């Protein structure tokens, strides 16, 4: 089809040039009429009526042809944006437009932002498709100089309001969380409102990313846009420590009811919903409340595509020494854009997931802990209350905290992980219907 279109365009151009060349030759080559009886055929002082009529008819034809050729040239111009040469002498090919996905780096006073930026710049496949925007709070001069050193490789934004925030006396120690929330709001408004992007991947200045980080988000953007039961895509697995994930399943993805963060993608439509009610502090836990989540899920990987190296921060290393420092970062490039990811659509995924979980044999904690499971698995370990979940999770080494009743990585109450090489589903009884927000 495109070859035929190209031939038509070339033919139109050729006809335009040829027709006008013929007209010019006709006008120049037409013999001049002579006065009758003239001995030497002298040129007439005035044109005859026949000549005038011929010229007018030719002018009318010429004008009509010009209008037609103008239309052809306009069509050629309109098609030019779709056609680019594949090489210097090769045929024309159609190059489809791909969505631009900016990466927003939230920075403050860590000069180690260099480690984050170096990896992003090393791995990104295209500067045009993945522009890097660094939004800096805190006003730290040394960190600003590090960011500036990258020149036009990144866009450097500076959060203008560095003032302290008025908080209740008992929240004075949480001033940092208030400033982070203010910064997020400002930075996301810059991305979506000022720069007019339609999606964004958000990382913080203490994250390192996997080789297929960009591939992962590029492949999942269409699903995020089309499936309204999703509201984010995350690169992070909260229980993704080495030994708790299947190293042979780097391509395995999940739906989760828990908002993971730590390298995540957001659409402008969702931001327009969240921004008017954005919280003054603790934005990530606010995202995990039922009023914001609205029964929507996120996509997360079996093996994390991000790794945090920032032990020091406003959270004072909470969870870092016990869990986060041991998270396994994926090293295998998975060509997600070439895979069929339709299994992640809500109805298909839920049906398959519940069938796999609740057809798995029920085992005891002792069997799991002592490595006495028979067979390849998976296996189901059942909990019946908040306390039983927390005891089992803690003793098995997975994160035991709940946010608004949702366990980390949980989907319909089920937490999936590897224990001694076997897939375990820590699951509520069959017939689960909803989370209990009092489980926190």
């Amino acid at each position: 089809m495109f070859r035929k279109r190209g031939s038509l365009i070339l033919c139109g151009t050729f006809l335009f040039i040829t027709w006008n060349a013929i007209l010019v030759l006709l006008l120049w080559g037409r013999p001049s009429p002579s006065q009758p009886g003239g001995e030497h055929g002298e040129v007439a002082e005035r044109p005859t009526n026949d000549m005038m009529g011929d010229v007018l008819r030719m002018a009318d034809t010429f004008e009509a042809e010009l209008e037609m050729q103008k239309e052809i040239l306009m069509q050629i111009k309109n098609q030019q944006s779709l056609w680019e040469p594949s090489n210097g002498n090769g045929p024309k090919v159609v190059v489809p437009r791909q969505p631009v996905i900016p990466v927003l780096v939230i920075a403050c006073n860590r000069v180690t932002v260099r480690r984050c930026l170096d990896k992003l710049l090393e791995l990104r496949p295209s500067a045009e498709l993945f522009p890097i925007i660094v939004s800096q709070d805190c006003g730290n001069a040394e960190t600003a100089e590090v960011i500036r050193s990258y020149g036009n490789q990144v866009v450097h934004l500076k959060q203008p309001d560095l003032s302290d925030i008025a908080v209740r006396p008992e929240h004075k120690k949480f001033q940092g969380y208030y400033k982070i929330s203010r910064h997020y709001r400002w930075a996301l408004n810059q991305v979506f409102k000022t720069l007019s992007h339609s999606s964004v991947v958000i990382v913080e200045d203490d994250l390192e990313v996997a080789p297929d980080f960009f591939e992962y988000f590029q492949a999942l953007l269409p699903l995020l846009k089309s499936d309204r039961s999703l509201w984010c895509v995350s690169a992070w697995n909260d229980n993704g420590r080495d030994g708790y994930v299947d190293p042979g399943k780097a391509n395995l993805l999940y739906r989760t009811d828990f908002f993971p963060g730590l390298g995540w993608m957001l659409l402008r439509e969702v931001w327009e919903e969240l921004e008017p009610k954005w919280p003054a502090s603790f934005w990530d836990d606010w995202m995990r409340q039922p009023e914001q989540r609205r029964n929507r899920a996120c996509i997360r990987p079996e093996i994390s595509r991000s790794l945090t190296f920032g032990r020091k921060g406003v959270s004072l290393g909470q969870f870092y020494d016990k869990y986060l420092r041991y998270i396994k970062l994926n090293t295998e490039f998975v060509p997600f854009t070439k895979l069929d990811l339709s299994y992640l659509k809500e109805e298909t995924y839920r049906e398959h997931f519940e069938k796999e979980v609740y057809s798995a044999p029920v085992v005891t904690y002792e069997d799991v802990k002592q490595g006495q499971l028979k067979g390849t698995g998976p296996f189901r370990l059942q909990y019946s209350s908040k306390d039983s979940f927390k005891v089992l999770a803690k003793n098995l080494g997975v994160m035991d905290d709940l946010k608004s009743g949702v366990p980390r990585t949980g989907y319909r109450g089920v937490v999936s992980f590897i224990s001694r090489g076997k897939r375990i589903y820590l699951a509520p009884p069959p017939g689960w219907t909803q989370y209990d927000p009092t489980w926190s």
Side-chain angles (χ1 to χ4, degrees):
M1 180 180 71
F2 296 119
R3 185 174 296 175
K4 289 182 179 179
R5 183 182 297 175
S7 299
L8 288 172
I9 292 171
L10 290 173
C11 286
T13 306
F14 176 76
L15 286 172
F16 174 76
I17 296 170
T18 304
W19 175 253
N20 289 296
I22 292 171
L23 287 175
V24 170
L25 288 172
L26 284 172
L27 288 171
W28 283 354
R30 185 179 178 92
S32 300
S34 302
Q35 289 283 356
E39 186 176 347
H40 300 289
E42 296 173 355
V43 176
E45 294 180 2
R46 291 181 300 176
T48 65
N49 289 337
D50 288 342
M51 180 181 176
M52 287 293 293
D54 287 344
V55 170
L56 288 172
R57 282 191 295 273
M58 290 179 68
D60 289 341
T61 303
F62 184 67
E63 184 179 1
E65 186 63 22
L66 279 177
E67 285 298 319
M68 186 177 74
Q69 299 303 332
K70 180 181 176 182
E71 289 294 323
I72 293 174
L73 289 175
M74 288 300 295
Q75 291 180 26
I76 294 172
K77 182 179 179 181
N78 291 337
Q79 293 295 325
Q80 279 179 342
S81 62
L82 299 176
W83 294 75
E84 293 182 5
S86 59
N87 54 59
N89 301 311
K92 303 288 184 179
V93 295
V94 172
V95 180
R97 289 178 60 85
Q98 296 186 52
V100 174
I101 309 175
V103 177
L104 173 63
V105 180
I106 299 292
C108 181
N109 57 2
R110 289 189 179 107
V111 293
T112 51
V113 67
R114 183 180 297 281
R115 176 175 169 183
C116 172
L117 292 176
D118 283 349
K119 186 60 68 171
L120 287 171
L121 291 168
E122 173 193 340
L123 296 175
R124 72 171 173 178
S126 165
E128 290 73 28
L129 296 181
F130 299 99
I132 296 173
I133 303 166
V134 186
S135 180
Q136 186 191 359
D137 199 1
C138 309
N140 182 269
E142 193 176 358
T143 304
E145 184 56 37
V146 170
I147 299 168
R148 275 197 299 271
S149 71
Y150 288 89
N152 61 7
Q153 294 182 92
V154 305
V155 175
H156 185 190
L157 306 179
K158 294 182 180 180
Q159 204 282 101
D161 187 358
L162 304 181
S163 64
D164 283 342
I165 300 172
V167 300
R168 302 193 307 270
E170 62 270 26
H171 272 209
K172 188 174 182 180
K173 62 181 179 181
F174 299 131
Q175 178 77 212
Y177 289 101
Y178 283 81
K179 290 185 176 182
I180 288 174
S181 190
R182 177 176 67 185
H183 184 197
Y184 263 83
R185 185 176 200 163
W186 182 85
L188 286 169
N189 276 333
Q190 296 306 302
V191 170
F192 288 125
K193 295 184 178 181
T194 305
L195 300 176
S196 299
H197 289 293
S198 60
S199 64
V200 67
V201 173
I202 305 155
V203 302
E204 295 190 358
D205 55 1
D206 61 347
L207 285 187
E208 183 175 329
V209 302
D212 55 359
F213 179 85
F214 294 96
E215 173 82 1
Y216 173 75
F217 285 109
Q218 187 174 31
L220 286 163
L221 179 60
L223 181 65
L224 182 62
K225 286 182 173 180
S226 63
D227 188 343
R228 295 303 177 184
S229 68
L230 293 173
W231 70 321
C232 82
V233 175
S234 174
W236 180 257
N237 176 0
D238 276 294
N239 288 314
R241 290 190 294 162
D242 200 6
Y244 287 77
V245 294
D246 186 341
K249 294 288 182 67
N251 65 336
L252 181 59
L253 306 179
Y254 295 83
R255 293 176 73 101
T256 176
D257 300 319
F258 190 88
F259 170 70
L262 292 173
W264 56 289
M265 181 160 59
L266 176 72
L267 298 180
R268 178 168 53 201
E269 294 82 357
V270 177
W271 177 243
E272 288 171 348
E273 169 197 326
L274 298 175
E275 195 269 344
K277 55 178 181 176
W278 191 251
S281 64
F282 305 108
W283 69 268
D284 48 352
D285 283 344
W286 175 84
M287 290 275 288
R288 292 160 183 155
Q289 294 172 357
E291 295 80 8
Q292 280 64 253
R293 189 171 65 83
R294 293 169 49 193
N295 293 318
R296 292 173 293 191
C298 294
I299 300 297
R300 61 101 176 164
E302 168 77 359
I303 304 177
S304 283
R305 265 60 186 187
S306 60
L307 174 71
T308 178
F309 54 83
R311 184 182 184 278
K312 294 182 179 180
V314 293
S315 64
L316 302 178
Q318 184 185 25
F319 298 129
Y320 185 84
D321 289 332
K322 190 173 182 180
Y323 296 103
L324 305 185
R325 65 183 297 182
Y326 301 109
I327 293 292
K328 178 180 175 61
L329 181 67
N330 180 61
T331 57
E332 173 188 345
F333 185 92
V334 176
F336 284 111
T337 56
K338 296 179 174 60
L339 301 183
D340 181 4
L341 303 178
S342 61
Y343 72 92
L344 292 166
K345 293 181 179 179
E346 183 180 27
E347 291 185 8
T348 303
Y349 186 87
R350 179 184 296 185
E351 181 180 349
H352 175 78
F353 187 81
E354 290 186 340
K355 181 179 179 181
E356 179 167 312
V357 170
Y358 290 102
S359 63
V362 178
V363 294
T364 66
Y365 162 74
E366 288 74 18
D367 290 337
V368 177
K369 190 68 175 176
Q370 295 171 16
Q372 296 178 348
L373 301 175
K374 306 298 183 183
T376 58
F379 302 95
R380 176 161 49 102
L381 183 59
Q382 189 165 293
Y383 68 88
S384 57
S385 66
K386 169 187 171 181
D387 290 339
S388 65
F389 169 81
K390 293 181 77 70
V391 168
L392 289 170
K394 184 175 182 179
N395 288 335
L396 289 170
V398 298
M399 298 189 77
D400 64 337
D401 62 320
L402 303 114
K403 302 292 185 181
S404 297
V406 185
R408 290 180 184 267
T409 74
Y411 176 70
R412 298 185 65 79
V414 180
V415 174
S416 174
F417 61 97
I418 297 293
S419 179
R420 295 177 177 266
K422 309 286 187 181
R423 174 69 62 187
I424 305 297
Y425 292 121
L426 182 56
W432 181 96
T433 56
Q434 62 183 1
Y435 293 103
D436 184 346
T438 66
W439 289 22
S440 293

